[in-house]
Structures are given as C-alpha cells and as structure tokens.
Amino acid sequence: MNPLDRFKSVWNDPNDYARKRKQQTGRKILGYFCSYAPEELIHAAGLWPFRLLGTKGEIRMADTHLQSYCCSLVRGGLEAALNGSLDFLDGAVFPHTCDSIQRLSDIWRLNAGFAHHFDAVLPVRLDTPSARQYMIDVLNEFRQELADAFGTEISDDAVWQAIGDYNRIREKLSTLYELRSRAPGLFDPSTVHRIMTAAMVMERREFSEQITAFLEGVEPDAAGRSDTGRKRVVLSGGICTHPDIYELLARAGADVVWDDLCTGARYFEGRIAEDGTDPLAALADRYMERTVCPAKHQDITVRGRALVDMVRHQQAGGVIFLLLKFCDPHAFDYPYLKKFLDEAGIPSLLLEIEEQPPPEGQLMTRFETFVDMLA
Amino acid sequence: MAENEKKHDPEKEKRKIQAVSRMKEIMTDYYIEAKGAREKGRKVAWITSGGPVEPLIAMDVIPVYPENHGAMIGASKMGAQLCEQAEEMGYSRDLCSYARADIGDAVAKTGPIGGLPEPDMLVCCNNICGTVLKWYETAARFFNVPLFILDTPFIHREFTDSARKYVLAQIYEYISFLETHCGRKMDYERMEEVGRLSVEATQLWQSVLDTCAHKPAPMTAFDAFFHLALIVTLRGTQVTVDYYRQLLDELNDRIDRGIAMVPNEKYRLLWDNLPVWYRTRWLSDKFAGHDAALVADTYTSAWSGMLPEMNGQSFLEAMSETYTKVYINISIDRMFDIVAGMIQKYDVDGMVMHSNRSCKPYSLGQYDLRQMIMDRLGVPTLIIEADMVDERNFSESQIDTRIDAFMETLKS
C-alpha cells in the first residue's frame, strides 16, 4: 500500500487500524482529546498517543450521561468509549481543556472502565512565570504517574529522544502545509486533512516513515499544473472531521490553504528547543509560546492578530469559521475575531457544525455565495 | 377582591422575613455607591462571584458583580431581551445567559439598573467556570481596562502541592496587580482584618443555612437565593456580618415561635444548581402547593463551603485552598460526598436538579450524580431542564407536569 492509501485507510477507520497495529506491535495506546495533551511524554513512555475525535456513528449510550447542550466531540467521544469501539485503548489522559472536557474526564473515569486514567490539569493562563512553573510541575507529575502506571521509567534522555521524534514529525507536517499553500493542486482537496488525522492517530514511528516516503514522492511542480485557478481561503476553529468541506469548497471555487485548527496547523506549530537542560521546561515553552486555544488565557487579542496575519501571509481572500455547536471558548471569541477581520477588510463565513455539517446542497450554496465575494 | 385578600392574609404576613427590607436597603446603598464611585475618586473592579473579594475591600476598591447583575436581569424578566441583544452582536445563543445578558446590557444599558458601573479593572477567578475567563476577556477588550486572572486548577482527585504553590503565587500577583492599578501599597494588617470579617460572615452564613435543618424549616432555598447577595458581594465588611447576625436572630426566633416558611411542611427537598431567576416565585408556590420545602441547596452553600481551614496560616495563605476547592471546581465523586452530607444534615426526602443550559461545569455530570444519589442513598431525584436567565428555555407545562409526577412518587 502506498503512503497515501495507507493514510486514507487509517482516516477511514482509525479504530480498526489501531486494533490491528496494536496486535502487531504490542504497543499500549493512550487516548487524548486535546492538543495540550503532552504526547511527547506518552511517546517517551513507549506508549502510543491516539487522538480521539468523536464518533461517526449514532449516539445512544452517551445520552444517559450528557445533556443535549454538550458538543459532539465530548458526546461522540463518550459514546465511543461506552459502546466498545475504543476497546484497544489502555486508558486516556485529560489535560483539562474546557468545562465540558473537564466533566467528560469524570464521567469517563466513572463509567468507561479502561485500565488507566490520567488528569494532567494544566494551567489555563499561559502568560506568567508562575503558570510556566506550574505547567512544568504538572508535566513532571504526569511523567511520574505514567511511569508508575506502566511499570517503566521515563528518563530525561527518553524525553529528549521523543522531543526529537516529534520535532521531525512536525517539520514534515509543516512542509506538507507549505507545499499545499504554494501549489494547492498538488493534492486532492481533502488529502492534507486526511493526513493530519493519520498523524494524530497512527503509531508515530510508522507515521514518521510513511510521511517521509509520501513527501519524497511529491512531484515538483515545474509546469505549474498544480495552479488550480481557485481562490484561497483559511479555516478557523477547533476541530474539523469532515473532508467533504474541503471537496465542496473546491467545487465552489476555493482551496483551503491554511488553518488554525487544533487538528490542523496548531498540531505542528512551534518547534521544541532541543538544546536546553530540562526537557519538561522545553515542552512547557512550546505550549506557552504557541498561539493559544481560546480555552486558555494569553494576550487578549493575540488570536485576532494571528488570524489576520495568517490570511495576509497566505494571501488568502477570506476565512471560514468552523464552530462546533456548544463549544463555548470558540463561540466567545468569534465576534471579536470577526471584528478584526472586518476591520482588515477580510470577508468571513460562519459555519456551525453539530454532529454533521449542514446538508450538502445548502452548504454548496453558502460556499458559492461566499467564494463569489472573495478577491 | 381575591387578590386583595391574599395581600392582607395575616398568615402570609407572619411568614415574611423582616430582614428583607434591611437587605434591600444595603444593596441599594451599595449600588448607589458603586454608581457614584468615579465622582468620589474610588476605583471599581468587576469580579466573578467565586473570586477573592477580600483584597479589593482591603484596598478600598468597590467590587461589582456582573453575575449578581445577571441574576437581577433574570429576576426582572429582562433576560431574553438582553440576551438577544448579545446574539445580534454575534454571541451564540448557546452561551451562558449571564454573560449574554450582561454583554447585551453593557451596550444597550436597558437593564434593571441601566447598566453596571463601568470597571477600572477586572478580576476573574476561574474556580466557577471557563466561561468567566472568556466573558472577562470580552469585557477587557470592550472597556479597555486591565484584567487579572486567578487560575485555580480543577480538582479531579486532590489539591496537589504544585497547585497550592501556583495559586498562592497568584494571590501575591493579584495584590501586586491591585497595588499597580490603585497606585498604593496593600495594608496587610487591614487585609487580615478584612479576612477575619470575611470568615465571620461566612460562618454566620453557614449558621443561617443550618437553621433549615430544623423541622419545619424557618426559610427555604428560595429565601437563601435572595439573602445570598451579601455573602457574594460584600464578604469582609462589617455591614455583612451585622446583617447576617440580624437574619440569624430572626430565623432562630421563628424556630422558637414555630413559624415555618411552608405552612404544612411534609416533604423536604434539596435543590441543585443556580436558581431559575425569572421563575423563583412560581417554583416556590409550586412546591409549597405540594407541602414541599426546599430546605437546602448546593448553590448558596457554595459560599459557606468557602470557610477556610486556617491551621495557623494567614488569611491570604488559606485563601489559595479555599478558593480552589469550591463546589463546582471539584469532580463528580467529590460533589457526591458533599451532597450526601447535605442529604443527611437536612434530612432530605428528595432532590431537584436544575439542568441549566447556561452552566456546563455545574450541569454536565448531573446525570451521573443523580444515578449515584439514587443508587447509593435511595433518594428520588428529579431533573428539570431550564436556564437561569433566558426564559426562552423554560417550558412551564412540561416542568409543571414533571414536578407533579415527582411529588406523587414522593407521596406514595
């Protein structure tokens, strides 16, 4: 199977991939919901971090634990934990994240029945030395808990090694994004999205090999064939699990050239310094410096400025907000982000997503109308 | 005619709590003072309901509570209208209705007091939710004033040493923040005195709530929702201590004279979550009609839960633990322990949970909590779906039917 087919098959059924690969490698798997989950420590412990993205199936069991006003990521994640589709997990780690995921952690711990459960309650503010110190302390505690739970030791050397592995993976993903931005026609519209999903769920050593091979196979575009003639847009929001959005947008006449999603560019944004003395401080510094998730606190206009800069840097014509219904942190930031875009003369479109995006016909009309407005 | 008779019903008059008028006086004075602060050269800080107000009092800053304002908007039945204002500004209808109503009113100024006094600074403690963080960031951008965040890590299992260190470091950062923006140093002796008054008021508030352990209860949770205002807004002042002493005396006197708030109290219920501010009267009458008294609640007791374990520490040191351990900053299993203690203390027959669309940290997890209460304690529990301020999310007929059905089970 060539790398792209491998990524697509992983995207298609991550759980099936995990089950089979676990059987082959014997590697234990730890689930997580948030881009602040310290994957490098999980990787250093010899475990495999697996991003949980909700469920594509029906919600039945989660309804007895969660009200209707809870987002589909939390609801779908719990459903998958309760209905057995995550039976390959050895446990999960919750780095606090938001009001809903904080309660999901409790409900998960009390009901899901996995062997291990970790709460690494990271700071919410990421703008002070005391918060940085607290983050380092929490990372240290998590390292110890992981080591105790799995009967292993996680040495500084092992963490440095993991940091190196992750830096290499993040560089590759960054290259992938740069390639798409330069020549969107190099890939099918949803290819990068599928690869990003694979990056967060695949056993990392395998992913690293596959992405290297994939990038080596990308033909340089001397003839400029990959210029699609379409307009350029960026996506803004939390997660996106719908490849159709990329395909519909392309049909409507626009390519997604960048994003600030936590399942997108924020996953690889920020290199970890490899020349320090404390690897946990190095991990903490990436989190402190990376553009924040709206559930965290930093400079109160940084997300607005970063979004405008991204649009300009990417020479994009507009922004599509993908807001997960009932995601409070993103919904609170939306009016101010939109205001920043308006003031910079950048058009934007708000798309609210429940379990599924709006019906295709309706979505297509909205996309076409929006794309027509773009420069 | 019938209504006229009702008004002069001597039985009802007898049951009214006299201290109410004093409370209204204090709150009116307080808002007049806050509204006139600027002319008198005093600073105003907006602060979250679970935030440490004591350093503000010690620095002579007037604390203003957008959440208390949200409750007023709800009680004045202006919630939907102000929420819609915020929705027009792009805030999703799914967001907290306190935040929406308050953001709407900051622009429209059409609420019950014509807009809150504008802040000179903002103090946000996230021990109650992540929503206040976002709400206060919005306010900081809107008013262009400095914002201090006190980050109190959620307690899933225990309050760790690293969390203690982190919160304590922030308490001192908070004081530096106030010193910078007030242009003067903190008087630490005054701070300890304010702390002492705060602890005294908190103890008195606990005693006030404890009077409901008596059968029949001299007041109900609906009264506690009203009398709560001072322990939230003005902890650490003498006027608050005096007020709760007066209220406690009156409640003890009612116990001595056998005056119950619900005339034929037969069923004792525990309320969970924030009040449905625009329907407190309706709910109160509804339950009283079934001879049921809401004798306790997890909401107003959250402030008496703030009683610090001093253990020889200074007030500031004790604060870091006190403020981090509040009721909704802890896991469902820790919440269960507290609820189980209340069920026993107040000898409760049933529990009513308000599943509040506006408040995810309070409401998500209620289904599991309910199951634990029913399985382990055998206490019947009703969940009603509503919202604290946005009356568009209240279905009277549905809730009416559910309460009737629940009371029938309790009676059988």
Side-chain angles (χ1 to χ4, degrees), chain A residues 65-351:
Chain A
H65 299 275
L66 290 166
Q67 285 94 329
S68 58
Y69 45 87
C70 165
C71 77
S72 59
L73 173 63
V74 166
R75 178 185 304 282
L78 183 65
E79 180 70 24
L82 297 176
N83 72 15
S85 52
L86 300 178
D87 54 3
F88 53 88
L89 286 188
D90 293 284
V93 56
F94 294 83
H96 180 259
T97 310
C98 62
D99 289 343
S100 299
I101 291 190
Q102 131 194 324
R103 283 290 171 226
L104 174 64
S105 169
D106 289 344
I107 297 170
W108 185 287
R109 173 168 52 84
L110 295 168
N111 297 284
F114 295 110
H116 300 284
H117 188 94
F118 303 94
D119 286 296
V121 186
L122 294 179
V124 168
R125 42 184 317 179
L126 300 179
D127 61 340
T128 57
S130 63
R132 175 180 180 271
Q133 183 55 53
Y134 173 65
M135 182 180 275
I136 296 170
D137 290 345
V138 172
L139 292 174
N140 253 315
E141 285 156 17
F142 177 54
R143 159 157 90 169
Q144 195 54 52
E145 278 178 44
L146 258 184
D148 292 347
F150 291 97
T152 174
E153 264 189 52
I154 307 171
S155 66
D156 275 5
D157 282 347
V159 180
W160 282 123
Q161 178 66 44
I163 285 173
D165 291 350
Y166 266 87
N167 275 342
R168 302 300 94 76
I169 289 176
R170 291 191 178 114
E171 274 159 27
K172 298 268 163 39
L173 294 172
S174 176
T175 304
L176 177 71
Y177 260 58
E178 294 288 352
L179 276 172
R180 178 182 62 174
S181 174
R182 237 176 292 143
L186 276 176
F187 313 111
D188 287 340
S190 64
T191 293
V192 171
H193 163 77
R194 290 176 207 267
I195 295 176
M196 286 309 298
T197 306
M200 295 178 288
V201 300
M202 280 175 80
E203 194 254 320
R204 297 303 189 273
R205 213 167 299 165
E206 192 204 352
F207 178 76
S208 194
E209 287 161 13
Q210 297 277 3
I211 188 71
T212 305
F214 175 79
L215 289 173
E216 280 165 4
V218 175
E219 297 283 333
D221 181 40
R225 283 187 311 273
S226 50
D227 179 6
T228 60
R230 292 189 285 254
K231 291 170 180 171
R232 299 166 66 84
V233 295
V234 301
L235 298 184
S236 177
I239 65 167
C240 177
T241 53
H242 303 291
D244 314 3
I245 284 176
Y246 299 85
E247 280 146 20
L248 283 176
L249 257 175
R251 271 168 47 203
D255 292 313
V256 173
V257 293
W258 209 268
D259 63 60
D260 67 2
L261 306 176
C262 61
T263 56
R266 293 185 65 254
Y267 182 70
F268 59 77
E269 190 190 303
R271 208 60 18 93
I272 302 170
E274 294 186 52
D275 54 359
T277 51
D278 177 1
L280 299 194
L283 288 181
D285 286 336
R286 172 171 177 261
Y287 288 136
M288 300 293 289
E289 283 155 24
R290 187 176 61 150
T291 311
V292 283
C293 162
K296 304 274 185 211
H297 175 74
Q298 230 182 31
D299 178 327
I300 55 171
T301 56
V302 70
R303 294 192 68 232
R305 284 180 280 125
L307 185 57
V308 170
D309 287 350
M310 183 198 302
V311 172
R312 290 194 172 133
H313 182 71
Q314 295 299 331
Q315 296 175 311
V319 174
I320 296 175
F321 288 98
L322 291 183
L323 295 195
L324 204 58
K325 191 167 170 62
F326 303 117
C327 174
D328 294 347
H330 277 285
F332 262 112
D333 270 7
Y334 166 71
Y336 113 79
L337 295 179
K338 178 166 191 308
K339 185 164 163 259
F340 268 52
L341 294 175
D342 288 349
E343 283 167 2
I346 300 165
S348 63
L349 172 72
L350 171 64
L351 207 59

